[in-house]
Amino acid sequence: MIRITDIKYPLQLAEEDLAEYIARKYKLNIKSFDIHKKSIDARNKDDIHYVYTADMHIENETKALKLIKNAQRITRKRYRFPVGIPPKKPIVIAGFGPAGMMCAYSLARCGAKVIVIERGKDVDSRIDDVKVFHNTGKLDPESNIQFGEGGAGTFSDGKLTTGVNDIRIQYVLEQFARHGAPREIRYTSKPHIGTDNLAKMVKTFREDIISHGGKIMFGTRLNGIVTENSAIKAVTAVSSEGEIQIDTDTLVVATGHSARDTFKMLRDAGANMQRKTFAIGARIEHKQDTINRAQYGELYSALPPADYKLSVKTPNGRSAYTFCMCPGGVVVASASENGGVVTNGMSTFARDGENANSALLVNVLPQDLRGNDVLEGCRFQREIEKKAYDMCGGYFAPCQTVGEFLKKSGAVASVTPTYKPGVKFVDLDDLLPDFVTETMRQAIPMMGMKIKGFDDDGAVLTAPETRSSSPVRIIRDDITKQSNITGLYPCGEGAGYAGGIMTAAIDGIKTAEAIIERGAL
C-alpha cells in the first residue's frame, strides 16, 4: 500500500470523484482506495482548496514511488485491546460520558461483568428535560446538560480534535463511525459529530454494551464507597427506589467535571486529590458570516462554516484563549445546580445556525484561590454561578456587548443572543473577578488582529462559562491508573485526565486496559 500526501483538490469537485482525479493526475491503476486525511488550505484567499492524503493499492507500486515525490509505502498500524482475564466481580463504572462509555464498551467486549451507574437519564428523556429547562427555566438537577447518557459532550459541537498523539485515536474514530457518527470523522482534520448525531451514537453504544452482558442503570447516583484495608469492597448508590449496595473490588469514577458532590464524597473517603488549573470567562457570539469572511474571504459560500482557535498572552502577564468553538451554533443554559447560571456552546452536525460562538476563557491558577480546601475551585465556580442567577433574577444569563465591555459607550448589539431562557444586559465587571475581566479586555482586541471582526462592538458576551474543565484532579498512579485506594480508578475529564470527548474516550480505554492487566496478575 502507498500513501500520497498533499493532494491539492479544487473546491468545485465532489469528494466521490477524488480517486478518479488521483488516477488521472498520477497515471495510476488504483485497485483499492481510502481517504486518510482531509483539510482546507485557506492561507491564500485567492487560491483556497482542499488538501487530501490518500492510501491505495495500485499496480506497480515500486515504479510509482520513484515517480511521485509525495508518495511513500506504508503499513497501517491498528490498535488492539489487550488480551487478559477480567476481574471475577462486577466492574462498576460511575458515569456514562465518553470516558465511562468507552471504558464500559472495551471491558464488556472482552467478557467482563460491567455495571454502569449514571445519575442522569437516558439520552431521549434527557433531551426532553433540557428542552423544558431552556423553555421554562425549570431545572432537573439530575438530568440536564451536565448529567445523563453521553455526558456533557452530548450537548456540544462534538469536536474530536486533540493535541495528543495516540494509537487509540483512529480506533475511537472508527468505533464512533461504526456506532452512528458520520463516516467522514475518520479522516477530516477537524472532525466533529454534532449534538444531533451524538444523541444517536450514544444509544447505539448503550445497546452494544448491553448485548455483551453489560448493565446500565440510569437515574442512579454514586453515593459512597465501602473500603477495607484501603481497598474497594463495595459501592453504594441511590436512585428513586432508594439506596443499593453493589459488591465490587473495581470502581471507575468517570463522573465528569460537574459532579461536585462526588468529589466531596471521595475526598471525605480519603482519596488523594489536588487542585488543578481550570478556566472561567464568557461565551462570545458573532454572526457566522463574519467568521466565514474573515477566514475564507469571498469564497466562503463554497466552503463549510469556518471555525477558529485563538490564544494570546496579554500585557498583564496572563493568557486568554478560545475553547469549544461552535460554528453555526447556539449558547445553551447548562446549569446542574438550582440557583446557578452556567453557559456552554452547542452545534448540530450541519452547523447551519446564524451565529458562531466560543468560550473566551482565562485560567484560574491554584494560587488564585483562597484557603486550603482541595475543593475550593468548586466553591469559586459556584459563587460566580449563584451571583449570575441573583443578578438576573433566575436562569436568564448576564450579557454585554463587546463594545460596552471594552468601555465604548453606546455600543448596540448586532448579534441576537441565542441563549435560552434569555439574557439580561449588565456590566460583566459586576459578575466576573477583576483578573478575568482585565485579561479578557486586553485579549479581545489582540484576537481581533488575528480574525477580522472578532472585536466588533456589536458582538455579545454571555456569561458565565465556568465548566470548561474540572478544578480538581483525583490523583492516580501513572501505570496502574488506581488512586491510593486500591480498586478505585479515576478516569476522564472530571478526574482531571482529559480535556474533551476524544481525550476522555482514550482515557476510558486506557483505564479498561489497566483493569484487565490487573486482573491478569
Side-chain angles (χ1 to χ4, degrees), residues 34-257:
D34 191 33
I35 300 171
H36 178 70
K37 188 176 180 181
K38 173 187 179 183
S39 60
I40 297 172
D41 186 344
R43 291 172 295 180
N44 181 351
K45 298 295 188 290
D46 295 323
D47 182 26
I48 299 177
H49 53 271
Y50 291 110
V51 178
Y52 283 90
T53 296
D55 298 340
M56 62 202 79
H57 289 288
I58 63 171
E59 288 186 357
N60 204 339
E61 287 186 359
T62 301
K63 180 181 178 182
L65 289 168
K66 291 179 181 179
L67 296 176
I68 306 172
K69 64 178 181 180
N70 51 326
Q72 58 181 310
R73 183 174 279 118
I74 63 161
T75 302
R76 284 183 170 178
K77 295 181 180 179
R78 294 192 176 274
Y79 167 79
R80 293 286 184 270
F81 190 77
V83 176
I85 303 172
K88 293 181 180 179
K89 291 185 177 181
I91 299 165
V92 177
I93 299 173
F96 199 52
M101 183 178 72
M102 291 308 295
C103 185
Y105 175 71
S106 301
L107 290 168
R109 283 172 59 86
C110 73
K113 299 175 184 177
V114 173
I115 299 175
V116 177
I117 54 175
E118 167 55 61
R119 70 191 298 166
K121 297 179 183 178
D122 66 273
V123 70
D124 289 330
S125 301
R126 185 183 177 202
I127 288 171
D128 291 340
D129 291 336
V130 168
K131 286 179 179 177
V132 168
F133 176 48
H134 289 174
N135 291 330
T136 70
K138 183 179 179 181
L139 173 68
D140 183 342
E142 298 296 337
S143 180
N144 46 64
I145 279 185
Q146 305 297 345
F147 299 143
E149 184 174 25
T154 302
F155 296 89
S156 72
D157 182 55
K159 281 184 178 57
L160 303 177
T161 50
T162 174
V164 304
N165 185 14
D166 193 291
I167 192 173
R168 299 168 189 83
I169 291 173
Q170 193 59 36
Y171 172 77
V172 171
L173 293 172
E174 289 170 355
Q175 294 307 311
F176 281 8
R178 180 172 171 261
H179 286 82
R183 300 291 296 174
E184 65 190 60
I185 67 169
R186 297 175 301 121
Y187 55 81
T188 50
S189 62
K190 298 178 181 179
H192 77 285
I193 301 178
T195 186
D196 46 344
N197 289 315
L198 276 160
K200 300 171 187 175
M201 186 187 82
V202 297
K203 286 192 288 187
T204 309
F205 268 105
R206 181 219 307 167
E207 293 163 359
D208 203 337
I209 292 167
I210 292 172
S211 74
H212 284 85
K215 183 178 182 180
I216 300 176
M217 303 168 65
F218 293 113
T220 306
R221 173 173 53 84
L222 177 66
N223 193 42
I225 60 174
V226 179
T227 62
E228 183 179 304
N229 298 324
S230 297
I232 294 287
K233 290 299 176 184
V235 302
T236 59
V238 63
S239 69
S240 59
E241 299 178 358
E243 188 171 89
I244 60 171
Q245 180 167 304
I246 304 171
D247 292 332
T248 182
D249 54 13
T250 308
L251 169 64
V252 177
V253 177
T255 52
H257 53 46

Side-chain angles (χ1 to χ4, degrees), residues 33 37 90 247 270 299 306 309 316 387 479 487 494 505 513:
F33 177 85
K37 188 176 180 181
D247 292 332
L299 291 176
K309 186 177 182 180
N316 66 355
K387 185 186 291 187
I479 297 173
E513 292 170 357

Side-chain angles (χ1 to χ4, degrees), residues 398-415:
C399 188
Q400 191 172 22
T401 65
V402 166
E404 291 283 354
F405 181 72
L406 296 179
K407 305 303 183 184
K408 300 177 183 179
S409 61
V412 177
S414 59
V415 176

Side-chain angles (χ1 to χ4, degrees), residues 308-327:
Y308 60 78
K309 186 177 182 180
L310 301 171
S311 178
V312 295
K313 183 75 175 288
T314 53
N316 66 355
R318 289 185 178 264
S319 297
Y321 62 97
T322 62
F323 175 77
C324 187
M325 192 270 167
C326 297

